[in-house]
Amino acid sequence: MSIQMTPVQTPTGGVNEIVPVLLPALKERYAKRAARLMQLAQGHAMGDYLDFCARIAQAQQQLLEQMPVPAAQVAGLSERLGSGQAPLASSDYPRDPYWQQLLQALIERLYPEANATVRTTLDTLRRYTSTELEVLASALLAGEHEQVDSGQALFLWAALSLYFTQLASALPASARAHLGEQRQHCPVCTSAPLASVVMTGAQAGLRYLQCGLCECRWHMVRLKCSNCEATGALDYWSLDRQDAAIKAESCNGCHSYLKVFYPERDPDQDVLADDLASLALDAEVEREGYGRSGVSPYLFPG
């Protein structure tokens, strides 16, 4: 992997230095997402589902405040740095039972206002043993989506993502970029990117990929496919205008696509929320024969 996480180091101070990895900030993260989902729901064809996902985000915010990741979990993170491997690699990170506590608490918060279909799904999740939940989590994190009911995956992922995002935020880490490719997966947890973001502020104009699990962002040069890293074979699609705030970047080499977000054109964007609200763009690009290289945490296959 050409970006590696290392123990915290003193910045070199170069004015043009590109920060390889941006760890997620937790403050009001899910509250802001919930507000954006509710805003996007107004008059939207998927308004009811956007509102439901807003309730999930609200529950995540409550759990973040009331049930933060145990201090012992954070204390051990430094031991996983400096090996050259992703410190929170989802395939081998020893998950703490805490994530299952998050899942059960999430179920309790969502159950009272859930409809009959959702309650059936939540009841099924309640009945699983700890071992069964770990098997489902492992399959989901490995991308074996056919092994997990898509309705259950939504809630499993909400708990897992809240767990891994807290861990990522607490990493006492820097990142070091090396020459070479292999930036298709998150250097923190190895998950696939949800989308690209063309940044504003200190990283203005740079493209970062956003992880769909731990929500870290890592740098990848523009005009390069985020899936196969080919250059010169990219097209950009939008539903309305040339300066759209969301586009789809497709590759004629591997026939995949991933959305690109431009917060400069819409400062209120939240990648997860706006991704869900822009599924019409996915439909059009997939009609052209391209397959999405990432998965929406709010819409698993199945």
Side-chain angles (χ1 to χ4, degrees):
M1 182 174 290
S2 58
I3 296 180
Q4 296 180 357
M5 304 303 294
T6 64
V8 173
Q9 300 172 349
T10 303
T12 61
V15 293
N16 295 318
E17 184 177 359
I18 296 174
V19 180
V21 175
L22 303 173
L23 299 178
L26 294 180
K27 186 177 180 180
E28 298 299 313
R29 186 175 201 88
Y30 301 100
K32 292 176 182 176
R33 180 165 299 153
R36 179 61 168 174
L37 283 162
M38 288 187 286
Q39 177 190 8
L40 293 168
Q42 298 176 18
H44 196 285
M46 293 175 55
D48 289 345
Y49 189 63
L50 290 165
D51 277 330
F52 176 67
C53 290
R55 293 199 294 276
I56 294 177
Q58 288 171 334
Q60 288 175 304
Q61 182 67 42
Q62 293 170 1
L63 295 177
L64 176 63
E65 296 169 359
Q66 298 167 13
M67 294 176 56
V69 66
Q73 283 274 289
V74 174
L77 291 176
S78 59
E79 301 172 4
R80 300 186 63 83
L81 295 167
S83 67
Q85 304 300 314
L88 303 179
S90 56
S91 60
D92 66 4
Y93 184 77
R95 293 187 296 271
D96 189 88
Y98 164 74
W99 85 266
Q100 294 192 23
Q101 297 169 19
L102 287 177
L103 175 63
Q104 298 303 329
L106 186 72
I107 291 171
E108 295 307 315
R109 281 163 173 76
L110 295 173
Y111 198 87
E113 297 183 19
N115 62 31
T117 300
V118 173
R119 284 190 174 190
T120 298
T121 298
L122 297 178
D123 284 334
T124 301
L125 287 170
R126 277 173 167 167
R127 290 193 293 268
Y128 284 136
T129 66
S130 176
T131 300
E132 288 171 330
L133 287 173
E134 290 298 341
V135 169
L136 291 171
S138 294
L140 199 55
L141 293 171
E144 298 170 356
H145 302 128
E146 70 282 358
Q147 303 296 322
V148 187
D149 175 83
S150 59
Q152 296 175 23
L154 171 64
F155 304 106
L156 291 164
W157 195 269
L160 287 165
S161 182
L162 178 55
Y163 174 46
F164 276 94
T165 300
Q166 288 183 83
L167 293 175
S169 175
L171 271 174
S174 299
R176 180 179 300 162
H178 299 273
L179 293 176
E181 308 299 327
Q182 301 178 12
R183 296 197 183 186
Q184 301 96 327
H185 295 94
C186 176
V188 173
C189 73
T190 68
S191 295
L194 167 65
S196 296
V197 182
V198 177
M199 303 289 288
T200 59
Q203 288 80 34
L206 298 177
R207 176 174 75 159
Y208 282 73
L209 302 180
Q210 178 161 328
C211 179
L213 177 65
C214 74
E215 301 204 28
C216 287
R217 291 178 175 178
W218 67 99
H219 178 252
M220 187 175 205
V221 298
R222 298 170 72 169
L223 301 179
K224 177 180 285 192
C225 175
S226 58
N227 185 53
C228 72
E229 303 200 5
T231 58
L234 303 179
D235 291 312
Y236 292 85
W237 309 78
S238 65
L239 293 178
D240 40 26
R241 59 187 190 276
Q242 186 69 22
D243 62 344
I246 305 174
K247 293 185 178 182
E249 178 186 86
S250 66
C251 175
N252 292 314
C254 65
H255 298 286
S256 73
Y257 79 93
L258 200 68
K259 288 178 185 169
V260 186
F261 290 80
Y262 299 86
E264 181 181 52
R265 301 170 187 174
D266 185 353
D268 295 327
Q269 277 185 345
D270 174 271
V271 173
L272 269 75
D274 285 75
D275 171 63
L276 180 61
S278 58
L279 289 181
L281 176 58
D282 292 79
E284 289 300 321
V285 179
E286 288 171 5
R287 238 190 301 273
E288 296 292 332
Y290 299 97
R292 180 166 170 155
S293 59
V295 176
S296 168
Y298 289 132
L299 203 67
F300 282 91

